[in-house]
Amino acid sequence: MVVAPSDHWIEDESAFAENLRQCFDFCSTENALMTLGIKPTFPNTGFGYIEFDKDDTSPIKKVNQFREKPDYDTAKAFLASGNFLWNGGIFIWSANAITEAFSHFQPVMNNLFLEGFESLNTKKEKDFITEIMLRLTIYQ
């Protein structure tokens, strides 16, 4: 699965497709939640950043942490360090990996949605989703 914003400009579509293929291949054998980072070309303060371990030589790197939109000096430091990417908000995973992550990290939400699993893709789906969304606001 790919979750991606609809407003992104993909300049090199071939490279993007190859990156997605690598992610799909990885996710087909590993229980992973992946994100695509964009190599920064200037210290942009309008993007969040993804920090990774710069000593990791593998093409697929683990995320150390996500960083919110920095001020200009911090963005310059991110670029100088060499281990930060722009966060493009593009995520890749298998259905099993994401449902397992929801079960583990968001058990209340996951259990609420499982209550009406049989209504999904039926005429009852809209009412079920509306009910669950109202119930979820109680937990926030």
Side-chain angles (χ1 to χ4, degrees), residues 39-40 42-43 49-56 61 64-65 67 70 72-86:
K39 187 174 182 178
F42 64 96
Y49 285 72
I50 302 167
E51 180 183 1
F52 62 90
D53 180 357
K54 67 174 143 186
D55 295 328
D56 185 352
K61 302 180 182 344
N64 284 353
Q65 63 181 321
R67 300 287 197 92
Y72 184 72
D73 289 334
T74 304
K76 285 188 345 186
F78 286 173
L79 264 65
S81 73
N83 65 318
F84 284 84
L85 302 169
W86 287 333

Side-chain angles (χ1 to χ4, degrees), residues 15 17-28 34 59-60:
E18 176 58 22
N19 286 332
L20 287 179
R21 187 198 60 73
Q22 289 176 323
C23 291
F24 289 152
D25 289 348
F26 190 83
C27 288
S28 71
M34 301 184 77
I60 296 174

